[in-house]
Amino acid sequence: MTAIAAGSGGGEGINPVASAIGIVLILITLAITYFAVPAGLAALVGVIVGGLLIGFGIHFVPVGGAPAAMGQAPGIATGVAMLATGAGLAGLFGGAWAAANPEFSFAVVIAAGAVGGGLMMAITCLMVNIIYIFGMGIPAASGKVAKDPITGDTQEAYKSQGTEGHGLPFISYVGGVIGGLLGGAGGTLIYYELLQVYTATLPGMFGADAAEVLPIAVSLAGIFAVGMFLVNAVLAAYNITGTIEGPHDPKFKRFPRAIIGCATASAVCGLFAILIVMGV
Amino acid sequence: MESVLFGIGVTALAGALATIAGAAEDTESNIGSQGDPNSQVQLAPQMGYIHRIYNKAVSGEPPAYGLWVTISAGVAWAFMATGMNPVLALVIASALAIFVQGVYATTAYLGRTASLAKFEQPVYIDVIKSVTTVTMAHAFVAVFPAVVMCYLLIAALGHPFPLPLLGIVWGIALGAAGSATGNPFYGKERQYQSQKFGAGVPISASGNIVRYAEAGQRSSLDNGWFTAKLAGPASGICFGLIVFLEIWRTVLFEDVASGWGAIIAGVVIILIFTIIDRYVEVWARKNYGPYQAEATEEVSA
């Protein structure tokens, strides 16, 4: 996992050797799961998809770090991994709530998680712009594009001298919401898949009723979902290296290698999460 | 009907608690200089600007608050498992978590400031004495309502997560919301008051933070006084809205269209916020206009 992240670091393109190793690792984890816990194979696929959704989604989140806090760069003034995790976990909160209701379908649970993450980002992005505009008197301006790809607003004239832009232009706002939606959906997918495995296997392992082990299943799935969210968020943050304005930022093009990295990391983490119900 | 009314009441209470937590969180982080602008506090002595600003940012706000809220939630959960009254358990657990925060704040300030010894930045003992206790007090005001809110979500609304896990989720979200909303105001408006209002701080001015208050040298207590007026409440509204709307749409619309009601309500709320954001953005462009390179004021000042 670490070797792959290190191998693909630095450049813009995909490292073919590292990618091949990653894909082989994913296949190995799938094979081990198939032989050790056959019932967990579908869950592992779900975990991998959830991980790559998180990794992809994080590239949409506009993060400006410390320069944004000084109005030196556009974006939200915090770290990539932290903000995306906050949004994703807000989504997981809603998704886990929906998953507890047996009447709800798989699609409802995932959509509930996605909307929870998107809502968190929508509110946060709006409040960021309100502070910039009404607290600091600065209009939003992007430093990476001449025109906003959605609204067509010109950017250059509104940029303060000596800065790379400031605030959240509309494209960054939309990117933030999309990132929250994808992160919330990915985190909830991981939780949901692990919960299915645990609720199916734990009663047999402990020799207890399904209702008795449900709190343990929920807690385990939740802890693994939070942990894997952080793994994927940090991996994607390393891919971004510092700040990103959103989908219009040139750094956004780096997402394919984050997807491979996150899928591999999620596969390995997911394997361990599923192997704990082997009963050994 | 009664259950819906009960749910709405709990939702309102949770939203109010979240608002208090968010406002106190941002003020605490500004007094302790833990948000992203801390890089400027750390940088200032290297640029020759000795200051009396506290600096405890070893990690960012979201993981730090994730830790403190989770400690509090975990200890409260353990107390309640032994049969302790929940109110007492939540208060004592929050107080214990704040002692961890106090130790963290002291060691972080000493460590970070001592690393600047070669730039002749002193460690001020009176700053440790006065500021540490104030950040601890604000941290208590942030952590306690956050944990009570988590407890409410489980005890009254039946969220499936155990209390410590919900503590991680909302602790990190609390730090993320406060750090995103409050930081620019502390970073730009407070630390760079010598810079022109209505413009970002030029990169060349990095580290040149404002170090003097109305009477004597500024300490981090002045930062809390200043940012509590806008950045704190804004962070509170941000986190309060997140918690309130997230629960509100679920409590009211979960039973509509076999679960899709809450999702549609969420999408509608997102669209409303998007429209408001676009309106605010256009308003700023119309009213402020393009950036004017200052020719007279700054040069003559």
Side-chain angles (χ1 to χ4, degrees), chain A residues 65-72 76-79 82-83 85-87 89-98 100-101 103-105 107-109 111-142 148 151 153-164 166 168-171 173-174 177 181 191 215 218-223 226 230, chain B residues 36-37 39-40 59-63 153 157-162 165-166 168-170 172-173 175-177 179-189 191-192 197-206 230-231 233-235 237-239 241-243 245-247 249-251 254-255 257-260 262-267 269-270 273-278 280-286 288-294:
Chain A
M70 254 68 63
Q72 284 175 356
I76 298 173
T78 187
M82 299 174 201
L83 181 66
T85 305
L89 293 187
L92 178 63
F93 168 81
W97 211 355
N101 192 331
E103 290 169 14
F104 291 166
S105 66
V108 169
V109 173
V115 169
L119 187 62
M120 192 273 189
M121 284 306 299
I123 296 169
T124 306
C125 290
L126 172 65
M127 290 308 294
V128 167
N129 258 343
I130 285 179
I131 282 283
Y132 267 106
I133 287 162
F134 299 114
M136 294 143 72
I138 310 175
S142 163
D148 190 306
T151 61
D153 287 347
T154 53
Q155 304 292 316
E156 185 63 34
Y158 292 88
K159 243 169 42 176
S160 305
Q161 206 168 23
T163 69
E164 294 170 14
H166 28 63
L168 275 186
F170 194 67
I171 176 72
Y173 179 94
V174 173
V177 173
L181 288 169
Y191 171 79
V218 166
S219 308
L220 268 183
I223 289 165
V226 170
L230 287 164
Chain B
D36 266 285
S39 64
Q40 302 297 304
S59 72
E61 286 172 64
L153 297 181
L157 295 182
H159 195 278
F161 278 0
L165 194 55
L166 217 49
I168 298 181
V169 168
W170 284 120
I172 291 181
S179 149
T181 308
N183 275 358
F185 193 72
Y186 165 58
K188 198 267 168 187
E189 279 310 297
Q191 288 191 157
Y192 286 92
F197 180 82
V201 177
I203 292 162
S204 57
S206 292
L230 180 66
S235 303
I237 289 170
C238 180
F239 189 59
L241 278 177
I242 291 168
V243 170
L245 291 175
E246 181 68 24
I247 305 171
R249 71 182 176 90
T250 309
V251 166
E254 198 179 28
D255 296 331
S258 61
W260 288 104
I263 293 157
I264 294 164
V267 172
I269 297 170
I270 291 175
F273 277 113
T274 309
I275 293 165
I276 297 172
D277 177 77
R278 180 63 189 151
V280 169
E281 191 187 4
V282 172
W283 183 92
R285 284 177 168 247
K286 271 192 193 153
Y288 299 155
Y291 176 75
Q292 307 282 332
E294 69 279 21

Side-chain angles (χ1 to χ4, degrees), chain B:
Chain B
M1 187 62 199
E2 268 181 33
S3 68
V4 172
L5 278 179
F6 176 73
I8 293 173
V10 174
T11 305
L13 188 54
L17 287 167
T19 307
I20 296 167
E25 188 275 344
D26 184 62
T27 310
E28 187 277 335
S29 84
N30 293 340
I31 292 171
S33 186
Q34 194 175 3
D36 266 285
N38 77 79
S39 64
Q40 302 297 304
V41 178
Q42 186 79 359
L43 179 67
Q46 300 175 40
M47 310 297 284
Y49 308 113
I50 305 301
H51 61 76
R52 282 166 58 83
I53 312 285
Y54 206 83
N55 187 1
K56 67 172 169 68
V58 173
S59 72
E61 286 172 64
Y65 268 88
L67 172 71
W68 300 327
V69 175
T70 310
I71 290 175
S72 176
V75 174
W77 181 72
F79 280 157
M80 280 186 252
T82 64
M84 190 188 272
N85 179 301
V87 176
L88 195 60
L90 290 166
V91 172
I92 296 176
S94 301
L96 289 173
I98 299 315
F99 279 107
V100 177
Q101 189 265 357
V103 171
Y104 169 94
T106 312
T107 53
Y109 172 72
L110 287 173
R112 294 215 102 191
T113 313
S115 74
L116 293 166
K118 70 175 107 169
F119 303 105
E120 299 185 353
Q121 167 71 42
V123 169
Y124 293 100
I125 299 300
D126 68 312
V127 167
I128 295 183
K129 282 183 188 167
S130 58
V131 178
T132 308
T133 44
V134 177
T135 74
M136 286 171 72
H138 280 79
F140 183 83
V141 181
V143 168
F144 177 65
V147 176
V148 173
M149 179 197 88
C150 293
Y151 178 70
L152 263 185
L153 297 181
I154 294 166
L157 295 182
H159 195 278
F161 278 0
L163 189 56
L165 194 55
L166 217 49
I168 298 181
V169 168
W170 284 120
I172 291 181
L174 166 65
S179 149
T181 308
N183 275 358
F185 193 72
Y186 165 58
K188 198 267 168 187
E189 279 310 297
R190 182 55 174 174
Q191 288 191 157
Y192 286 92
Q193 285 178 332
S194 54
Q195 297 290 324
K196 196 182 174 193
F197 180 82
V201 177
I203 292 162
S204 57
S206 292
N208 184 14
I209 58 175
V210 172
R211 297 169 296 149
Y212 300 102
E214 290 73 9
Q217 286 196 313
R218 174 179 290 181
S219 88
S220 291
L221 300 181
D222 300 289
N223 292 342
W225 172 81
F226 182 82
T227 57
K229 289 190 286 188
L230 180 66
S235 303
I237 289 170
C238 180
F239 189 59
L241 278 177
I242 291 168
V243 170
F244 178 79
L245 291 175
E246 181 68 24
I247 305 171
W248 177 81
R249 71 182 176 90
T250 309
V251 166
L252 266 192
F253 301 109
E254 198 179 28
D255 296 331
V256 180
S258 61
W260 288 104
I263 293 157
I264 294 164
V267 172
V268 170
I269 297 170
I270 291 175
L271 289 176
I272 292 171
F273 277 113
T274 309
I275 293 165
I276 297 172
D277 177 77
R278 180 63 189 151
Y279 174 80
V280 169
E281 191 187 4
V282 172
W283 183 92
R285 284 177 168 247
K286 271 192 193 153
N287 285 274
Y288 299 155
Y291 176 75
Q292 307 282 332
E294 69 279 21
T296 49
E297 273 180 70
E298 290 285 303
V299 173
S300 61

